[in-house]
Amino acid sequence: LDYGGVIPERFGHDSTEEKIFAKYCDALLARGLSELGLTSRVIDARGDSADVYASFPEHYSLVGDAKAFRLSRTAKNQKDFKVEALNQWRQGADYACLLAPYYQYPNTTSQIYKQATRYNVTLFSYTHLAFLIRHKPENPALLKSLLTFSTTITESLRASDYWLGVRNVVLDITGQSADDWEIALKDTNARLREQAEEQIRFWEAEKLRILALDQITAVEELVKALKIDSKISVIRSTTGA
C-alpha cells in the first residue's frame, strides 16, 4: 500500500502487464479491507463493475474501486475516477469507496468531490488505508463513519474541504493525532520521490537505447510502436478490402 497505485513506465499501454497490475491494485484494496476486519474479495466481472466487494456481516457492505496511474500521466479528469459510475455499481451494497494515490487526486477543485458528496462515495487513498491498518480500530463497525462521511458535508468542488474532513474522520477512528497524519504524508512524499527517480531512470535508459539504434531498426520500432500493421489488419477485416 505504501507504494501502491503507480503503474511502472516499462509496462506498455493497454498491455497484459498493465492489466495484471490493475488487478494487483484490486487485490491490495481487498486485502487492506480484510486487514481491517472485513470479509472481502475481488470481483471477477469484467467492465461496468466495481473491483472489490466487502462486508462486515450484519452491519454493512460496500463495493470499492482501485485506481492506478503512471507518474507521467497528465490531465486527469473526473472520468478517470468514475465516481458516478461507482455509485451505479453498488450491486445492492450499502456503501461505495474509491481508492487512488493521494497525490493523483485533483488538489484544488474538481467535480469528483461534488459527485462523491452527492452519491455518497467515499474517496480515500493508499496512504489513508495504510494508516488505518497501522492504527487498526478494534471494531470494524467504526469504519462506517468513513463510509458515510460524504453524507455529512455540503456539496463542494473544493479538494481542501473534502480531504480535511476525511483526515478528521480517519484520526477519530484510529485515535491518532494530526501530527501522526502529517508524518504519514511526509513518508508518502519521500517514497514518491523514490518511485519518481526509478521511473525517470527507465526513460533515461530507454532514450539512450533509442539513440544508439541504427536507422533500419529505429524505423522498424517506430512502425511497431504506431501499430500500423495491426490497424491495416483491422480495416481489412472490417471492410473486406
Side-chain angles (χ1 to χ4, degrees):
L1 286 171
D2 285 337
Y3 292 88
V6 177
I7 302 173
E9 297 287 338
R10 68 181 181 274
F11 291 170
H13 286 277
D14 297 323
S15 65
T16 299
E17 292 86 355
E18 186 179 72
K19 292 173 183 176
I20 291 174
F21 188 84
K23 298 304 291 184
Y24 162 71
C25 292
D26 299 342
L28 276 179
L29 174 56
R31 177 60 184 271
L33 293 173
S34 294
E35 289 292 322
L36 292 174
L38 280 65
T39 300
S40 63
R41 61 180 173 84
V42 174
I43 297 173
D44 294 329
R46 294 183 178 180
D48 296 331
S49 172
D51 297 327
V52 171
Y53 178 87
S55 66
F56 183 41
E58 300 181 4
H59 288 79
Y60 60 80
S61 58
L62 65 97
V63 292
D65 199 8
K67 297 297 181 186
F69 301 98
R70 299 170 187 272
L71 292 181
S72 60
R73 175 74 182 274
T74 60
K76 291 177 290 296
N77 56 49
Q78 65 187 57
K79 292 183 180 179
D80 294 317
F81 296 95
K82 299 181 180 179
V83 175
E84 186 173 357
L86 183 56
N87 173 59
Q88 298 169 353
W89 295 340
R90 291 179 188 264
Q91 298 181 343
D94 300 309
Y95 306 113
C97 64
L98 188 146
L99 182 77
Y102 190 49
Y103 50 84
Q104 295 284 21
Y105 281 107
N107 59 13
T108 53
T109 60
S110 174
Q111 284 289 337
I112 69 169
Y113 301 114
K114 192 170 185 178
Q115 292 170 352
T117 304
R118 179 177 302 167
Y119 300 115
N120 187 26
V121 174
T122 298
L123 311 179
F124 70 135
S125 70
Y126 291 87
T127 305
H128 289 98
L129 184 52
F131 190 86
L132 285 166
I133 292 171
R134 285 192 171 97
H135 308 286
K136 189 185 322 185
E138 293 184 4
N139 187 353
L142 294 175
L143 295 172
K144 188 173 180 179
S145 61
L146 180 60
L147 298 171
T148 59
F149 161 71
S150 293
T151 66
T152 67
I153 59 175
T154 303
E155 284 189 22
S156 170
L157 300 175
R158 290 170 56 87
S160 58
D161 293 343
Y162 191 88
W163 291 118
L164 178 61
V166 170
R167 186 207 68 169
N168 290 341
V169 172
V170 168
L171 293 181
D172 186 56
I173 291 172
T174 59
Q176 302 302 299
S177 69
D179 288 341
D180 295 322
W181 175 246
E182 288 304 314
I183 291 171
L185 284 182
K186 184 177 179 180
D187 290 343
T188 293
N189 290 333
R191 286 187 290 266
L192 178 60
R193 285 192 291 272
E194 292 177 19
Q195 291 173 293
E197 289 169 0
E198 179 183 1
Q199 304 311 314
I200 289 170
R201 284 195 298 270
F202 167 78
W203 283 120
E204 288 177 338
E206 186 69 358
K207 182 169 66 174
L208 291 175
R209 184 188 70 81
I210 292 171
L211 289 172
L213 294 175
D214 61 78
Q215 183 178 2
I216 294 176
T217 304
V219 170
E220 289 175 347
E221 286 215 6
L222 179 59
V223 170
K224 183 179 179 181
L226 292 175
K227 300 181 180 179
I228 292 175
D229 291 336
S230 175
K231 291 174 182 177
I232 291 173
S233 178
V234 170
I235 294 172
R236 282 177 171 163
S237 65
T238 301
T239 64

